[in-house]
Amino acid sequence: MDRIYNGMPARELGSEGWHKPWSGGNGGSCVEAMRLGDGRVALRQSTDPDGPALIYTHHEMASFIRGAKDGDADFLLT
């Protein structure tokens, strides 16, 4: 793979290594995540596995998860 970039077609990252940590009871529509070799994380929509992948640094993903655990994103649910 030449270059991994935000918005690239997720299919270019391959089909192995994707996980569904946020699935459950939503009819199969969920976010899939893949840890990349350089520590970054790719996210894609499970219903569109060939669509764009969002690429986050380890720090960005860690900050998001910590904030979600602390309730910083609760406003998205109301």
Side-chain angles (χ1 to χ4, degrees), residues 1 3-10 12-13 18 36 38 40-44 51-57 60-61:
M1 187 170 334
R3 186 171 157 265
I4 296 175
Y5 59 93
N6 198 32
M8 69 183 294
E12 292 182 16
L13 294 170
W18 291 99
L36 303 174
D38 63 2
R40 291 183 292 171
V41 175
L43 300 178
R44 72 178 181 184
L54 299 177
I55 310 296
Y56 295 95
T57 66
E60 290 169 329
M61 187 55 63

Side-chain angles (χ1 to χ4, degrees), residues 29-56:
S29 178
C30 55
V31 175
E32 294 180 314
M34 174 193 284
R35 183 176 195 90
L36 303 174
D38 63 2
R40 291 183 292 171
V41 175
L43 300 178
R44 72 178 181 184
Q45 173 60 304
S46 66
T47 58
D48 188 14
D50 292 331
L54 299 177
I55 310 296
Y56 295 95

